[in-house]
Each structure stands twice: as structure tokens, then as C-alpha cells.
Amino acid sequence: MRPIMSHKRVLYGYWRSSATYRVRIALNLKHLAYEQHLIHLLNNGGEQHLPLFSSINPNELVPVLIDGEVTLNQSLAIMDYLDEVYPQFPLIPKDLKSRYLVKALAQDIAVDIHPLNNLRVLQYLADDVGIETEQKQRWIQHWITQGFHALEKNLASTAGAYSVGNSITLVDLCLVPQVYNAERFNVDVSTFPTIDRVVQALRSHPAFIDAAPENQPDAN
């Protein structure tokens, strides 16, 4: 299937941003072509703070998707939009129970786990609070591990081949980037067997491979 590009579609992001990573996977699964505008979150004091990007997203966070006349930030909102406008390869089930189960599990990752190891939180802890690198590592490991303990229990009852049954859903798009973050900070993901099994399966899918941080043009 050829990528769909009926109008200009641009994704502003950073190779290691897990929120951007989620959106890249969604675009790939739906075969939606897009241009990448690279925002380096560390260079020049953080390019997300420069006036050009700040005028697009005053929150100064990635990702931002421009799809024709639509401009959206927040990865969960972007993926919800993509699922509604481009229904091929649905990410959210149609039946009521499964729909909100998937949304809740995705938010367990994107709302509860991810923000506590986000770059601006870590920069504040280091620059303003003055914690050392080793303390910062323990902070990250603590919150990811605590979140994964709960998530593992949930997925043990919902998982089939993937996080919820045998179809890729929004949960999987949040899970793989969060495990990438966990591995960066030396969290032993093998202690969460359901999470580990599902992620290993997803990492063999072409849409996930193409979206992986190390395969992005700004990877360094």
C-alpha cells in the first residue's frame, strides 16, 4: 500500500522523544506519508524554545502534527485524530468496553509513567533542585518500575499477541516508546514478562522498526 499524501503533512519532533515516537508509529501503521521537521531538544539551549517553534506550540513540547489546515499537539490527541480521519488500521476498538480499556491503558503509560521521566522534569531536577546524575537515575528507575508493576498486572489479563488481544492498539504505540526509555535508564524489563514479550513482538513489525529512534534522520 502506498503512503497517502493528499496534502502537506508535517511532524515536528525529536528522535528520542517518546511522544513523537508514538505518532511516527501511528503514521506508519496508517501508511500516511509525512515530512519530518526536526526539533533538537538539547542543541542551542533547546530548539523547542526558539520563537519559530514556540509560535506553533506555546507549550514548547514535541510532537506537533500539521495535517493540511489542522495543527495539533499532544500525542494522544494526535493519534485519536488520525484514527478518526484515517480509519485504515484502526488503533482504538469500536466496541465500548474495549475502546475505553485501550484508552485507559494508554493513559496509564502516557499520562502516569512518561511525564515523570520527561526531559523538562529531568532538567529541572538537575538544574534547579541540584540532584546528582546518580540520584536522577534512581528517580527515573523508581517511577518507571512502579508504573510497570501495575501495567504488568493489567496486561497479564488483557494481552494476547499484543497488549490488548491480538490486534495492535493505541496501548502498543505507547508501550514500545516507554520501554525504550526504560532500557535507556537501565530498568530490567525482563522482570515484567508480559510487557517484555509484547514489546519484542512489536519490534519486529515494519511500522515500529521504521519509527524507532535509531532509524531517524536526527539520531546521534
Side-chain angles (χ1 to χ4, degrees):
M1 182 177 180
R2 285 189 166 188
I4 300 170
M5 189 77 159
S6 59
H7 51 248
K8 187 173 183 180
R9 187 177 299 114
V10 176
L11 179 65
Y12 288 81
Y14 176 60
W15 69 289
R16 260 189 173 162
S17 158
S18 55
T20 307
Y21 189 175
R22 299 167 196 152
V23 176
R24 290 196 301 259
I25 299 168
L27 289 164
N28 291 347
L29 286 170
K30 291 178 175 292
H31 294 279
L32 297 172
Y34 62 98
E35 299 174 15
Q36 291 203 62
H37 284 203
L38 309 175
I39 305 296
H40 201 292
L41 301 185
L42 298 174
N43 286 353
N44 305 311
E47 294 175 354
Q48 69 274 28
H49 305 307
L50 296 177
L52 180 60
F53 183 72
S54 184
S55 68
I56 297 169
N57 183 15
N59 289 334
E60 299 180 350
L61 296 169
V62 294
V64 171
L65 179 72
I66 298 178
D67 188 36
E69 297 182 355
V70 174
T71 299
L72 286 173
N73 66 316
Q74 294 294 350
S75 63
L76 292 179
I78 292 170
M79 293 187 291
D80 206 4
Y81 162 83
L82 291 173
D83 221 33
E84 188 168 335
V85 176
Y86 305 102
Q88 69 273 17
F89 206 106
L91 305 173
I92 303 170
K94 296 299 182 187
D95 71 279
L96 193 67
K97 182 178 177 181
S98 298
R99 181 180 185 83
Y100 285 96
L101 171 64
V102 162
K103 288 193 172 192
L105 289 169
Q107 288 182 35
D108 283 342
I109 301 167
V111 177
D112 286 343
I113 301 174
H114 169 248
L116 289 166
N117 52 92
N118 201 9
L119 176 64
R120 63 178 180 173
V121 172
L122 302 181
Q123 288 177 331
Y124 174 77
L125 290 173
D127 299 341
D128 293 77
V129 178
I131 72 169
E132 302 294 333
T133 300
E134 186 178 335
Q135 293 172 299
K136 185 171 71 173
Q137 181 94 346
R138 289 202 303 270
W139 164 280
I140 298 165
Q141 291 172 340
H142 170 79
W143 292 115
I144 292 177
T145 299
Q146 185 179 91
F148 276 8
H149 276 300
L151 186 64
E152 175 71 19
K153 291 177 183 177
N154 282 323
L155 296 192
S157 64
T158 65
Y162 305 116
S163 295
V164 179
N166 296 315
S167 298
I168 293 172
T169 67
L170 189 67
V171 186
D172 300 302
L173 277 63
C174 294
L175 180 62
V176 169
Q178 187 58 59
V179 168
Y180 171 82
N181 276 354
E183 292 170 342
R184 278 184 63 203
F185 296 106
N186 299 316
V187 174
D188 184 4
V189 180
S190 69
T191 61
F192 306 101
T194 308
I195 291 173
D196 192 34
R197 175 183 63 77
V198 168
V199 168
Q200 294 310 318
L202 290 163
R203 281 177 167 168
S204 67
H205 192 291
F208 286 77
I209 294 170
D210 290 347
E214 62 271 19
N215 294 327
Q216 304 316 302
D218 52 336
N220 53 44

